[in-house]
């Protein structure tokens, strides 16, 4: 192992000499406590190292050891339901070793070395295999079967394959390579975090990621394999939205990265997820989740690494053919970590002190998401949906992190503090948000849910748009200046806002709405509007229409469960009866 | 054996560049001996092969490059802690400044602490009754939370903070509690106001007070909140007490940080504040919380004045991104002679849903507060409308809401400085305000709660 020597320490940045042959992004161990660090600059025979732990007590002359390998993860059974720090140290193991506070220099492997997993081979001796081929399965949790794949550099004939209980380091198969050598295969493989895992082909996203959040699924949907960002000022509910998606999204695996955020929020996830039941599988949510927690008081360099750790684990599960949702809360903290390190390297700053490579790094990160056909046999498709929240200073959307993110993501859920103050949650502003997947996904809704979906979704958006214009007029000249039709639009738009878009995360009946119910609810509101317009034209009094008790039924319809789905039809009948337009044929 | 050096090359602001040093470590504590014999302390900020950059906690006035002795101590800045700290007053570096005896340390702790493993945290869930309706009813404080007060110059944030410190209690429990107070760059009068408040209620026996006044060295101010939090951690996690930490004023702390950063010629972030301001603040605010299996807790109430009442200024902005909500004081409400001038709309307690409800406060609390928020927002909208169009142009419903908003401010938000409202009183008051609204408007409260708690009234 090559030894070097510290020549300078400034915060998380350490400069060392004598690290001959060290490569960029190689991991080094710094000082007597062997703190982990990564080489981020080589200049004039000196290596600049970002250290993943507090550097107090280090000084010139202390030893630096080069490991010769880049920052890599351990991938294999045991990832699910784990909680890691930014460099894949399991926090539960750290707690066992050092108590409630994280002491410096503790090492712990990402995967347990003692736990035995039951390996069930799916290929037999004599089979020809190449990288990415699935050779067996481990039932990691009750919902996820962990597929064991042939690592990248191995190709040849299986000379031996076992069945039974093994640790992640024990050999489960031996491959006879073409060059005559033999390669033992273990359930664990390693992969460097800053390199995307290879795949056979990338595809266009075409299916929605159903989240159960009405404003998202109906108005601004995200596709499986898509990318989205959630910017908003503090207190606008970014984290609650991220938690809701982690809870309810119909992905098979969830990777949640708490990047530079609050410790208590991670605790919330940790305590709540094992209790929560996944509506799709009926099992605890924790069984499909990997948490990465690098809270704001943990070392800043590990925060920079945390999103790469997250996406690498996501890619590994995607390779098995799973749909993975990855959530990073918040990418602004990641960008700030980048800025802090860049400042210490005395690089020329770009906008607002961020390094000039901010946008290329962000783009490269989001580009690792997507739908792919994985390498190897059997043929399978998987996806990573990447959703990053952004915390712009002062809620200012023109700042560099938001702008760089918007250039790459396809869905924008813009949060607004004004809505949050009114306790309109989720505080997604329907006028500025967009989804570039919307048109594509309308086809899915049309086929799977109801053919009227497209028309009604667009009608809802149209009414909300007109409402914002009408509200301007009301503000200037009062509500009296509006025609009956316009006042009806105001009423309907209010219903859409209050009874459809608003959704309470903390209320069991409201927290998740299935696509079918989302459509039926929207259908009630739009039907009421269409019939009310006709009724006004037929001379019914506006007063009578808007104060009708049927509207309260519409308002409470969002609390109907999937078992009570029949009641939607009853309410619809009540609407028709109420508005007494007997001649009109309405399809039920 | 600590070595002494006489090799200062440059002095720039609070920074000393010491040459030809050997075996000096990053973040090490430094003792300075001035030519006059005066002693001071400093800390290593940057160490290269033979130059150490030392940040002096004292003013560098009277210091020269030839006769000043620099001694490296070999450890970081530490605080002596002991149960005897209760009832005592310390300076910003943790030395007693009242007339009491020296503290016999039980332990010496590094003031930077260590980060709590998120896996070991326990979620804050115990409601703290502050006796203030605008907080208890709308934005409740929970044990282990960090909830700052965003204020402006001239607003009564000190009064409010003192009132919270004086009146807070947890429903149905008689556990040991303590207050740790850190004065950061505030005036003598303000600091004295707090100390007097503690004295007059005998709370001083349960308080540990750290004072860095406006004329104390700004660099010392960087250590003061960490001193306070180290003391709080000891009381909470070693002695099992429930500790309320009040730090005022964080704005002056951030300005001191900027001063040091600019002396070091660092690349500035927004408004000249260093790029690591977020991380720096987080290392303090994140020291609030609860730990599994330990009885104590740390609840933080940092107070900061927003420059020009601007919530988007980097200090309140970054604070809001770290803390679990914020209580915002409004100049407008203050001018209308309402105390406490809490603007409930932009105020927020993120831990609200975990701290209230059945078994904690009452089952109707959540729905009730959401309904009050929504109705107050609607009332404010009507208020704006009436300013432009006149009250006559409002619909009847808007007028009702307008009336509601006024009553909400003058009856619910307003209360006396010594008026302690129980949570029951606060909730009852909320229902009585709601009873002014038509029933069909009450969409956020449950039917059964309306039947149980709202006095029926014909509309």
């Amino acid at each position: 192992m090559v030894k070097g020597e510290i020549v300078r320490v400034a915060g998380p940045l350490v400069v060392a000499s004598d690290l001959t042959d060290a490569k960029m992004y190689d991991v080094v161990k710094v000082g007597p406590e062997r703190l982990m660090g990564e080489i981020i600059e080589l200049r004039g025979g000196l290596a600049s190292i970002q250290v993943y732990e507090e550097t107090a007590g280090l000084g010139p002359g202390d030893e630096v050891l080069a490991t010769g390998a880049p920052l890599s993860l351990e991938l294999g059974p045991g990832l699910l339901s784990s909680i890691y720090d930014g460099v894949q140290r399991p926090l539960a193991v750290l707690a066992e070793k050092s108590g409630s506070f994280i002491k410096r220099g503790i090492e712990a492997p990402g995967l347990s070395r003692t736990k035995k997993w039951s390996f069930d081979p799916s290929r037999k001796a004599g089979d020809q295999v190449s990288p990415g081929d699935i050779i067996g399965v481990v039932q990691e949790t009750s919902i996820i079967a962990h597929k064991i794949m042939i690592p990248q550099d191995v190709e040849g004939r299986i000379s031996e394959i076992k069945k039974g209980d093994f640790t992640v380091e024990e050999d489960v198969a031996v491959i006879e390579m073409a060059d005559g050598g033999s390669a033992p295969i273990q359930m664990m493989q390693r992969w460097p975090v800053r390199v995307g895992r290879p795949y056979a082909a990338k595809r266009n996203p075409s299916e929605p990621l159903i989240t159960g959040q009405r404003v998202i699924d109906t108005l601004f949907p995200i596709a499986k394999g898509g990318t989205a960002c959630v910017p908003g000022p503090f207190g606008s509910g970014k984290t609650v939205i991220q938690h809701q998606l982690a809870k309810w999204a119909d992905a098979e695996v969830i990777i949640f990265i708490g990047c530079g955020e609050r410790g208590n929020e991670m605790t919330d996830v940790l305590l709540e997820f094992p209790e929560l039941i996944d509506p799709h599988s009926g099992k605890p949510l924790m069984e499909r989740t990997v948490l990465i927690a690098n809270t704001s008081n943990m070392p800043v360099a590990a925060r920079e690494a945390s999103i790469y750790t997250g996406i690498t684990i996501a890619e590994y599960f995607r390779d098995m053919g799973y749909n993975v949702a990855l959530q990073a809360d918040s990418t602004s903290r990641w960008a700030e970590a980048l800025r802090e390190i860049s400042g210490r390297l005395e690089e020329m700053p770009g906008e607002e002190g961020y390094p000039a490579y901010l946008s290329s790094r962000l783009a490269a990160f989001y580009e690792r998401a997507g739908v792919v056909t994985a390498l190897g046999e059997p043929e399978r498709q998987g996806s990573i949906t990447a959703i990053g929240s952004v915390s712009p200073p002062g809620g200012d959307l023109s700042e560099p992190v938001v702008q760089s993110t918007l250039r790459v993501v396809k869905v924008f859920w813009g949060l607004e503090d004004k809505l949050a103050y009114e306790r309109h949650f989720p505080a997604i502003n329907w006028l500025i948000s967009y989804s570039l997947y919307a048109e594509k996904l309308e086809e899915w809704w049309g086929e799977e849910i109801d053919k009227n979906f497209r028309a009604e979704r667009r009608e809802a958006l149209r009414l909300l748009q007109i409402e914002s214009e009408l509200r301007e007029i009301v503000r200037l000249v009062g509500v009296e200046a509006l025609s009956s039709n316009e006042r009806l639009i105001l009423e309907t738009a209010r219903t859409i806002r209050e009874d459809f878009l608003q959704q309470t995360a903390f209320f069991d009946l409201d927290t998740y709405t299935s696509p079918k119910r989302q459509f039926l609810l929207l259908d009630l509101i739009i039907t009421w509007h269409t019939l009310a317009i006709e009724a006004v034209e037929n001379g019914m009094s506006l007063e009578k229409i808007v104060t009708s008790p049927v509207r309260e039924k519409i308002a409470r319809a969002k609390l109907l469960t999937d078992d009570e789905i029949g009641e939607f039809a009853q309410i619809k009948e009540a609407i028709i009866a109420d508005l007494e337009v007997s001649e009109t044929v309405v399809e039920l | 054996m600590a070595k002494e050096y006489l090799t200062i090359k440059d002095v720039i602001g609070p920074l000393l560049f010491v040459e030809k040093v050997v075996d000096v470590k990053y973040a090490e504590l430094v003792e300075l001996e001035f030519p006059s014999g005066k002693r001071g302390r400093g800390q290593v900020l940057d160490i290269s092969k033979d130059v150490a950059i030392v940040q002096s906690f004292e003013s560098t006035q009277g210091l020269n490059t030839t006769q000043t002795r620099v001694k490296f101590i070999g450890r970081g800045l530490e605080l002596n802690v002991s149960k005897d700290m209760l009832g005592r007053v310390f300076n910003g570096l943790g030395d007693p400044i009242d007339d009491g005896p020296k503290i016999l340390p039980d332990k010496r702790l590094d003031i930077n602490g260590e980060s709590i493993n998120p896996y070991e945290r326990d979620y804050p869930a115990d409601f703290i009754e502050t006796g203030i309706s605008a907080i208890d009813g709308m934005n409740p404080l929970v044990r282990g939370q960090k909830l700052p007060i965003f204020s402006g110059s001239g607003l009564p944030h000190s009064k409010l903070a003192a009132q919270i410190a004086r009146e807070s209690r947890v429903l149905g429990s008689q556990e040991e509690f303590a207050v740790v107070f850190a004065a950061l760059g505030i005036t003598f009068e303000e600091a004295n106001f707090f100390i007097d408040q503690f004295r007059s209620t005998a709370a001083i026996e349960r308080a540990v007070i750290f004072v860095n006044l406006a004329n104390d060295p700004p660099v010392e101010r960087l250590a003061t909140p960490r001193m306070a939090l180290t003391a709080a951690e000891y009381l909470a996690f070693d002695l099992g007490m429930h500790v309320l930490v009040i730090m005022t004023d964080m704005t002056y702390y951030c300005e001191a940080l900027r001063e040091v950063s600019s002396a070091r010629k660092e690349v500035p972030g927004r408004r000249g504040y260093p790029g690591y301001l977020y991380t720096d603040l987080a290392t303090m605010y994140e020291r609030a919380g609860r730990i599994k299996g330990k009885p104590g807790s740390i609840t933080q109430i940092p107070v900061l004045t927003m420059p020009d009442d601007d919530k988007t200024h980097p200090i309140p902005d970054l604070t809001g991104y770290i803390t679990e909500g914020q209580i915002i004081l409004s100049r407008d409400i203050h001018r209308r002679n309402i105390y406490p001038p809490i603007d409930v709309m932009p105020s927020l307690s993120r831990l609200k849903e975990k701290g209230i409800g059945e078994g904690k406060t009452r089952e109707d609390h959540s729905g009730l507060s959401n309904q009050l928020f929504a109705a107050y927002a609607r009332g404010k909208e009507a208020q704006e409308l009436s300013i432009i169009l006149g009250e006559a142009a409002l619909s009847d419903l808007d007028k009702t809401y307008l009336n509601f908003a006024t009553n909400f401010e003058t009856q619910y938000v307003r209360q006396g400085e010594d008026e302690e409202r129980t949570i029951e009183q606060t909730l009852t008051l909320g229902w009585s305000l709601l009873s002014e609204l038509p029933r069909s408007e009450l969409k956020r409260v449950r039917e059964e709660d309306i039947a149980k708690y709202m006095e029926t009234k014909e509309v």
Side-chain angles (χ1 to χ4, degrees), chain A residues 24-47:
Chain A
M24 283 289 278
Y25 296 110
D26 270 3
V27 169
V28 292
K29 305 277 174 164
V30 181
E33 290 166 300
R34 303 271 182 269
L35 307 180
M36 192 168 159
E38 199 178 13
I39 297 178
I40 52 169
E41 191 177 78
L42 292 167
R43 184 189 290 183
L46 298 177

Side-chain angles (χ1 to χ4, degrees), chain A residues 208-326:
Chain A
L209 182 79
I210 297 298
T211 66
Q213 309 306 302
R214 295 185 290 262
V215 57
I216 292 176
D217 291 349
T218 300
L219 294 191
F220 309 109
I222 178 155
K224 287 197 173 102
T227 50
C229 79
V230 200
F234 64 84
S236 55
K238 281 183 299 295
T239 301
V240 177
I241 288 180
Q242 290 277 27
H243 284 194
Q244 284 295 89
L245 296 184
K247 284 175 196 166
W248 307 120
D250 67 342
E252 285 129 347
V253 176
I254 303 279
I255 315 285
F256 192 92
I257 311 168
C259 175
E261 288 285 310
R262 304 174 183 89
N264 277 335
E265 279 168 4
M266 291 317 293
T267 312
D268 188 21
V269 174
L270 270 173
L271 295 179
E272 201 177 5
F273 275 33
E275 307 288 318
L276 285 172
I277 299 300
D278 175 10
H280 313 290
S281 68
K283 301 285 181 185
L285 281 174
M286 205 59 199
E287 296 198 0
R288 63 163 191 176
T289 309
V290 182
L291 294 174
I292 293 161
N294 216 88
T295 56
S296 56
N297 56 338
M298 287 159 78
V300 72
R303 191 195 300 167
E304 195 271 331
S306 66
I307 69 166
Y308 295 107
T309 299
I311 196 124
T312 306
I313 295 175
E315 284 175 340
Y316 176 65
F317 280 105
R318 175 174 68 180
D319 288 348
M320 295 178 206
Y322 288 118
N323 293 308
V324 184
L326 171 124

Side-chain angles (χ1 to χ4, degrees), chain A residues 484 531-532 534-545 576-581:
Chain A
S484 300
L531 295 181
E534 279 175 32
V536 167
E537 276 162 11
N538 292 347
M540 195 186 271
S541 104
L542 185 68
E543 188 65 18
K544 184 167 172 255
I545 295 174
I576 296 164
D578 192 60
L579 295 170
E580 283 176 1
V581 272

